[in-house]
């Protein structure tokens, strides 16, 4: 789509929102039900598209893409009517008599830019919240997952009128042009570096936004951790989607007392997960593009690889790889990895943990494996992060009662469930003053100062 067509689509939605009454709650719920039905009909196509884009295993598509989307749609269908009701709050005595309410209203025309790593779920989930709350939406999916982007375009065009919601395909230049337009709200999911660019571009219009980014997520393993269980949960969270997950453990900090046993368990369980040759496994995805593949291979240079390390350029395959005690100043430990490479660093005490973890910005996630309640609490309270889990990884994402988002460079704002409703609406306050009584103290001439000073005593 060229710039002229993009501008036309943008203006069409802008005019529609400005000149039309926002669709009623029943109408929006009906749209969500149609969307859900169309997704159900296209399940096999979605699975096939993700397989073509980067060989995502069917089970991972069912669980991390479709299940999450269905949960979000069902939650909005069930609760939208209740959430949308104006919230009555108590009146202030100064305004007596009055009734005060908070209305939840849509922002207007929203731009959603979605990433390639979970290209269906991370496009549709925010779109559900945006549409359910009465906004119009232009969705820009990632060009790195073209088959999924095509499915998204077909799906959206079959469910929504273009002036309500449509997909615009394109590369970084298209995204750049879209961000130059004046939106009422922008929702972006992607890397920290691109997130900075998005933030700078929309700042000129002071556009409200939600940025879901990433970071180097620490995974701390205390000497009291149950080794085999911890290993399985860490490997699952790390190598899910071939490590291309923003909340995957980025590196392990393992207490020196259990390091050798822990490494043995890591190697043993990797073999059980993916067999002798992960390239032949149906349970392991590929790297999304040549660009990302080459960056990851570069991170392995001059590292102490203790398991894995093989790769195949022609298949964009990188074996699940363990690296022991990397140089903390290397690119591997400076950049978010976002791939199937897991550095393991041994530590002696909490001072070591602090020296290593505080080298990086506040992460999107933090994981702690320990049977020591005091240690658990100390780690959770000491470090700042978006969301965390004790004795597991990644699973906080699936609880729609928890807000999902980052802090600092790992993100701005949060969503999921009711939190999606909150992020895609703004609060509008209304005080309805009654006319059967009008206290004259506020009107000029101000000859009631002595009386007001007496009243002021109640507030001091």
């Amino acid at each position: 789509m060229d710039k002229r067509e993009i501008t036309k689509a943008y203006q069409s939605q802008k005019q529609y929102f400005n000149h039309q009454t926002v669709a009623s709650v029943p109408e929006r719920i009906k749209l969500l039900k149609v969307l859900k039905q169309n997704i159900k009909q296209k399940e096999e196509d979605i699975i096939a598209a993700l397989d073509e884009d980067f060989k995502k295993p069917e089970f991972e598509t069912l669980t991390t893409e479709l299940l999450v989307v269905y949960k979000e749609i069902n939650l909005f269908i069930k609760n939208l009517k209740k959430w949308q009701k104006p919230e009555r709050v108590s009146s202030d005595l100064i305004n007596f008599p009055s009734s005060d309410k908070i209305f939840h209203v849509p922002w207007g025309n929203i731009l959603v830019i979605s990433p390639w790593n979970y290209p269906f779920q991370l496009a549709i989930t925010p779109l559900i919240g945006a549409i359910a709350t009465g906004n119009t939406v232009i969705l820009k999916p990632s060009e790195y997952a073209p088959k999924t982007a095509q499915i998204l375009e077909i799906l959206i065009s079959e469910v929504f009128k273009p002036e309500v919601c449509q997909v615009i395909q394109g590369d970084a230049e298209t995204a750049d042009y879209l961000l130059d337009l004046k939106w009422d709200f922008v929702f972006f999911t992607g890397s920290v570096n691109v997130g900075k660019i998005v933030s700078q571009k929309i700042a000129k219009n002071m556009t409200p936004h939600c940025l879901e980014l990433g970071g180097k997520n620490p995974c701390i393993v205390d000497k009291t951790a149950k080794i085999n269980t911890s290993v399985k949960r860490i490997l699952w969270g790390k190598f899910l989607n071939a490590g291309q997950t923003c909340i995957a453990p980025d590196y392990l900090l393992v207490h020196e007392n259990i390091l050798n046993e822990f490494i043995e368990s890591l190697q043993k369980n990797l073999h059980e997960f993916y067999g002798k040759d992960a390239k032949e496994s149906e349970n392991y995805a590929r790297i999304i593009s040549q660009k990302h593949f080459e960056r990851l291979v570069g991170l392995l240079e001059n590292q102490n690889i203790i398991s894995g390390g093989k790769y195949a350029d022609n298949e964009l395959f990188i074996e699940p790889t363990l690296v022991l005690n990397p140089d903390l100043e290397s690119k591997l430990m400076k950049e978010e990895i976002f791939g199937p490479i897991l550095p393991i660093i041994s530590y002696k005490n909490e001072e070591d943990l602090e020296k290593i973890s505080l080298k990086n910005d506040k992460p999107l996630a933090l994981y702690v494996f320990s049977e020591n309640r005091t240690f658990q609490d100390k780690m959770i309270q000491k470090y700042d992060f978006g969301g965390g889990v004790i004795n597991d990884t990644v699973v906080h994402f699936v609880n729609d009662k928890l807000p999902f988002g980052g802090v600092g460079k790992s993100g701005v704002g949060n969503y999921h469930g009711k939190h999606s409703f909150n992020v895609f609406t703004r609060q509008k306050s209304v005080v309805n003053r009654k006319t059967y009584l009008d206290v004259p103290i506020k009107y000029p001439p101000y000859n009631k100062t002595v009386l007001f000073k007496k009243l002021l005593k109640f507030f001091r």
Side-chain angles (χ1 to χ4, degrees):
M1 188 177 285
D2 61 29
K3 291 182 179 180
R4 183 181 58 83
E5 291 174 311
I6 292 173
T7 304
K8 184 178 178 181
Y10 163 83
Q11 291 174 341
S12 172
Q13 288 196 352
K14 204 82 170 173
Q15 290 170 2
Y16 179 84
F17 184 86
N18 290 338
H19 296 102
Q20 299 289 326
T21 302
V22 174
S24 67
V25 171
E27 289 173 324
R28 283 180 261 153
I29 290 174
K30 185 178 179 180
L31 271 178
L32 293 179
K33 289 179 177 178
V34 174
L35 176 62
K36 179 182 175 181
Q37 187 59 38
N38 275 37
I39 293 171
K40 285 171 66 176
Q41 292 171 355
K42 289 180 170 56
E43 276 189 7
E44 293 303 319
D45 294 335
I46 295 166
I47 291 167
L50 283 157
D51 179 67
E52 281 195 66
D53 280 333
F54 58 117
K55 287 186 69 64
K56 177 169 279 199
E58 182 177 357
F59 183 80
E60 290 187 9
T61 296
L62 293 172
T63 54
T64 65
E65 304 270 2
L66 290 168
L67 175 62
V68 176
V69 166
Y70 284 139
K71 283 185 66 186
E72 190 81 352
I73 293 179
N74 291 339
L75 199 70
F76 269 91
I77 289 172
K78 180 181 178 181
N79 294 292
L80 184 59
K81 188 175 181 181
K82 176 178 65 177
W83 291 343
Q84 196 68 73
K85 286 182 179 179
E87 180 184 345
R88 188 181 293 273
V89 297
S90 58
S91 307
D92 195 286
L93 181 63
I94 293 173
N95 288 333
F96 180 83
S98 71
S99 64
D100 299 10
K101 293 180 180 179
I102 300 171
F103 291 82
H104 301 278
V105 298
W107 288 103
N109 198 12
I110 290 180
L111 172 64
V112 175
I113 300 179
S114 60
W116 51 261
N117 58 326
Y118 292 87
F120 185 76
Q121 183 254 119
L122 291 178
I124 293 292
T125 303
L127 185 141
I128 290 165
I131 291 294
T133 48
N135 298 281
T136 58
V137 179
I138 283 179
L139 168 66
K140 161 64 178 74
S142 173
E143 69 274 20
Y144 286 112
K147 297 297 181 182
T148 307
Q150 187 177 15
I151 288 288
L152 285 167
E153 184 171 8
I154 293 168
L155 177 69
I156 297 305
S157 66
E158 290 178 355
V159 176
F160 303 103
K161 297 185 291 187
E163 58 265 34
V164 173
C165 182
Q166 66 174 294
V167 171
I168 289 180
Q169 306 277 11
D171 55 14
E173 186 178 342
T174 300
D176 194 59
Y177 181 73
L178 283 165
L179 287 165
D180 283 332
L181 300 173
K182 188 177 180 179
W183 301 92
D184 296 308
F185 192 90
V186 169
F187 189 100
F188 170 81
T189 307
S191 70
V192 175
N193 289 337
V194 179
K196 290 177 183 178
I197 296 170
V198 172
S199 184
Q200 289 169 358
K201 289 185 75 69
I202 63 179
K204 63 185 178 184
N205 292 316
M206 299 184 70
T207 305
H209 53 274
C210 182
L211 306 178
E212 297 296 338
L213 309 176
K216 292 192 74 65
N217 307 316
C219 182
I220 300 168
V221 184
D222 177 44
K223 60 186 176 183
T224 66
K226 292 183 178 179
I227 292 178
N228 197 54
T229 300
S230 300
V231 163
K232 286 183 176 180
R233 293 177 179 181
I234 290 168
L235 291 179
W236 169 75
K238 174 61 181 181
F239 295 109
L240 180 75
N241 208 39
Q244 298 165 117
T245 303
C246 60
I247 52 174
D250 194 90
Y251 60 97
L252 298 187
L253 294 161
V254 182
H255 195 279
E256 64 178 10
N257 288 8
I258 62 167
L259 180 64
N260 292 336
E261 188 180 353
F262 203 84
I263 289 172
E264 288 177 11
S265 185
L266 284 168
Q267 293 169 332
K268 173 178 172 290
N269 280 284
L270 270 177
H271 184 271
E272 291 180 1
F273 278 18
Y274 305 113
K276 291 182 179 180
D277 186 356
K279 190 165 65 170
E280 303 302 319
S281 174
E282 295 180 354
N283 305 305
Y284 188 67
R286 296 298 184 263
I287 307 306
I288 189 67
S289 71
Q290 187 68 34
K291 173 185 173 183
H292 291 82
F293 173 86
E294 291 174 359
R295 185 187 72 84
L296 289 166
V297 169
L299 294 180
L300 290 174
E301 290 180 7
N302 302 317
Q303 296 294 346
N304 180 22
I305 297 171
I306 58 172
S307 183
K310 297 176 184 175
Y311 53 89
D313 194 320
N314 60 327
E315 292 188 37
L316 297 182
F317 165 82
I318 297 178
E319 189 176 15
T321 300
L322 306 178
V323 173
L324 182 60
N325 288 326
D327 181 352
L328 298 182
E329 298 303 316
S330 66
K331 282 188 176 182
L332 185 67
M333 292 305 297
K334 288 286 191 181
E335 299 178 6
E336 180 183 7
I337 295 170
F338 219 72
I341 305 168
L342 182 58
I344 306 159
I345 302 166
S346 63
Y347 75 92
K348 291 182 180 180
N349 49 46
E350 291 179 23
E351 288 73 24
D352 287 346
L353 291 177
E354 188 171 340
K355 288 176 185 176
I356 297 166
S357 295
L358 294 182
K359 278 181 171 288
N360 301 307
D361 294 310
K362 297 173 184 177
L364 183 58
L366 179 137
Y367 305 112
V368 178
F369 285 81
S370 174
E371 296 299 309
N372 183 328
R373 179 65 179 271
T374 301
F375 182 81
Q376 294 172 2
D377 292 344
K378 188 180 288 187
M379 293 300 101
I380 293 299
Q381 292 170 17
K382 186 171 188 175
Y383 298 106
D384 204 1
F385 52 90
V389 186
I390 296 169
N391 289 325
D392 208 340
T393 61
V394 177
V395 295
H396 60 299
F397 184 87
V398 301
N399 186 351
D400 50 45
K401 297 177 183 64
L402 294 172
F404 179 80
V407 56
K409 290 184 179 179
S410 62
V412 177
N414 51 61
Y415 74 125
H416 283 183
K418 178 67 182 297
H419 308 284
S420 287
F421 177 86
N422 293 337
V423 81
F424 288 115
T425 57
R426 62 180 182 85
Q427 295 183 334
K428 184 164 68 175
S429 304
V430 176
V431 175
N432 185 351
R433 288 295 311 278
K434 307 305 178 184
T435 56
Y436 61 81
L437 179 66
D438 193 27
V439 181
I441 191 171
K442 67 180 180 182
Y443 300 124
Y446 300 123
N447 54 10
K448 309 170 189 72
T449 305
V450 174
L451 175 60
F452 190 77
K453 283 182 177 180
K454 290 180 181 179
L455 290 173
L456 195 61
K457 290 180 181 178
F458 293 101
F459 297 93
R460 287 174 176 162

